[in-house]
Amino acid sequence: MGENTDVATIHLSNTNQSVSLPLLHGTLGPAVIDIRKLYGELGVFTYDPGYGATASCESKITYIDGDEGVLLYRGYPIEQLAEHSTFLEVAYLLLNGELPSRAEYEEFERGVMRHTMLHEQLRSFFNGFRRDAHPMAVLCGVVGALSAFYHDSPDINNPEHRRISAFRLIAKVPTIAAWAYKYSIGQPFMYPRNDLSFAENFLYMMYAVPPEPYHVNPVLARAMDRIFILHADHEQNASTSTVRLAGSTGANPFACIAAGIASLWGPAHGGANEAVLKMLEEIGHVDRIPEFLAKVKDKNSNVRLMGFGHRVYKNYDPRAKIMQRTCHEVLNELGIKDDPLLDLAVELERIALNDDYFISRKLYPNVDFYSGIILRAMGFPVSMFTALFAVARTVGWVSQWKEMMEDPAQRIGRPRQLYIGAPRRDYVPLSARS
Ligand code: CMC
């Protein structure tokens, strides 16, 4: 494949045909080859399982430089947002492209917080689940069920309907997640409190009980808010691509977000925070790290160092650094001087970062490596970790869905394949088969 600044030329040696394809340049990041006319001109597809070299859309929302460990939301570095912003301000930014004025922020906050309640009939959905249901199963089902409730705003081509659906999703997913937890422990559901901030309200719905006053610890609320900011968006990851693909068919937005939740659940994606904690508990002691890492390096074991490695980051995940700092703040606030799991994680990270297996493959800690330790210290059961990720990522999913719906070039997502099955053959009646 030859190329100059504007085009890439593909030459097929078997037919001696060539095509020149435009190179498209974004504001940051590598240029992309626009292959849309490739099949029409040369009769071939591209092959990229896992989409490691495929840009599936144009987007103005999030930028990642995986080699340098950079993450920008609408151009703003994640470090600055985590330090100075709030989750709802970041939500506004992701959805609308710019930081809000004070008046815009207040209107947005009111808009989201006015939608935190669930339709009372949704309560009965929870009773249909076993008590020991995984919160992600509950979230997937109940968020999907929201699609049956809002007949006042069904038109995805109407910007006002899209705006209301976005508010409802951002506001209601935390309530559903907290109620999934309450259901699992048999406590009454706590109705949301709109006088609290987004993160405070979430902690309140999780931990308050009706007979007692509940005071949200401001340090923990700030940590929660920061964790939400860090998870809010991450460009075209598996769950976001799932939401876009489902949305590209014109499907109901609540159903699309339920599809995103399903995709997030897997241990290679959002389920990794849960898997890290289980891994640390299984290792149990620093003395057993070498034995565990030997298993990780054994090709036949299928064991991975959870919370390490990333499809895009070939450097330290910038979110992991912030998470590590937040971890110390939370443990200090809670007076936890010594957390054996944190000591174990720090030592595991140190050993892995000096081990040739991880160095040569550019495997660094990702956002999930430390998040589980913080969340556990804050009282979250391990099974809730991925649900918290979903609460935050709903903002990213909704922003990406909205961007896609507003894109005039949007078409149904429909990948092709390299068919390696049987060639054409004739049906053989059962009686004639041996
Ligand atoms: N432990 C051990 N080896 C690993 C790991 C790991 N965590 N991650 C990648 N590798 C090895 C892999 O075996 C392969 O080695 P080789 O070249 O010898 O075959 C090489 O590194 C490349 O791995 P890959 O599977 O081709 O990489 P990928 O881009 O397809 O996978 C990943 C990315 C995140 C799924 C993977 O790194 C992984 O499974 N990590 C653990 C799970 C995890 O922490 N996921 C959270 C990701 S961040 C939050 C999110 O996205 O939700």
Side-chain angles (χ1 to χ4, degrees), residues 46-57:
T46 55
Y47 179 61
D48 184 20
Y51 314 116
T54 295
S56 61
C57 61

Side-chain angles (χ1 to χ4, degrees), residues 33-298:
I33 303 168
D34 178 353
I35 58 164
R36 278 175 290 187
K37 63 176 185 174
L38 185 66
Y39 178 65
E41 299 274 328
L42 293 185
V44 295
F45 297 140
T46 55
Y47 179 61
D48 184 20
Y51 314 116
T54 295
S56 61
C57 61
E58 281 184 350
S59 182
K60 294 179 180 165
I61 301 176
T62 292
Y63 173 74
I64 303 173
D65 182 334
D67 296 324
E68 297 298 325
V70 170
L71 170 61
L72 311 176
Y73 290 167
R74 298 284 190 181
Y76 296 102
I78 190 67
E79 293 81 359
Q80 292 180 21
L81 294 170
E83 185 68 28
H84 304 297
S85 188
T86 63
F87 179 67
L88 275 192
E89 186 180 59
V90 165
Y92 182 99
L93 175 70
L94 289 169
L95 272 166
N96 300 301
E98 297 297 334
L99 288 168
S101 66
R102 186 172 295 280
E104 285 166 337
Y105 178 75
E106 284 169 3
E107 193 195 335
F108 181 75
E109 189 182 34
R110 255 195 320 277
V112 171
M113 296 311 284
R114 268 183 37 223
H115 286 99
T116 51
M117 279 204 308
L118 300 183
H119 192 293
E120 201 56 18
Q121 264 175 281
L122 263 184
R123 284 182 72 111
S124 44
F125 277 74
F126 288 84
N127 296 331
F129 287 94
R130 282 170 52 135
R131 284 277 174 207
D132 59 358
H134 194 286
M136 287 299 278
V138 178
L139 211 53
C140 217
V142 180
V143 172
L146 289 176
S147 57
F149 280 78
Y150 298 109
H151 302 307
D152 60 344
S153 52
D155 183 1
I156 53 168
N157 297 313
N158 178 330
E160 187 50 27
H161 287 200
R162 288 202 294 267
R163 199 176 71 91
I164 292 174
S165 299
F167 280 159
R168 285 185 170 135
L169 277 157
I170 296 167
K172 292 181 200 301
V173 171
T175 312
I176 297 172
W179 285 17
Y181 170 63
K182 288 296 197 192
Y183 180 72
S184 73
I185 56 169
Q187 285 186 0
F189 297 144
M190 296 303 289
Y191 286 96
R193 271 186 47 193
N194 295 352
D195 58 320
L196 300 177
S197 74
F198 186 90
E200 287 169 344
N201 173 52
F202 183 65
L203 292 174
Y204 167 81
M205 290 189 294
M206 281 287 303
Y207 296 123
V209 286
E212 285 176 19
Y214 176 77
H215 301 292
V216 184
N217 177 323
V219 175
L220 300 190
R222 180 67 195 129
M224 188 79 265
D225 198 69
R226 193 178 296 149
I227 292 169
F228 286 153
I229 291 174
L230 296 181
H231 287 89
D233 194 48
H234 216 223
E235 55 120 304
Q236 309 311 319
N237 57 83
S239 57
T240 302
S241 297
T242 303
V243 170
R244 278 191 180 253
L245 198 55
S248 77
T249 69
N252 176 288
F254 298 96
C256 295
I257 300 303
I261 292 169
S263 171
L264 185 74
W265 192 356
H269 193 5
N273 49 17
E274 182 174 338
V276 169
L277 239 264
K278 287 186 179 149
M279 172 190 78
L280 292 174
E281 277 163 357
E282 262 167 48
I283 299 174
H285 195 274
V286 282
D287 292 350
R288 296 189 53 208
I289 292 176
E291 181 193 327
F292 174 73
L293 287 183
K295 262 193 263 163
V296 168
K297 291 190 255 178
D298 175 1

Side-chain angles (χ1 to χ4, degrees), residues 18-37:
S18 296
V19 65
S20 285
L21 300 169
L23 267 189
L24 307 179
H25 298 273
T27 38
L28 292 171
V32 304
I33 303 168
D34 178 353
I35 58 164
R36 278 175 290 187
K37 63 176 185 174

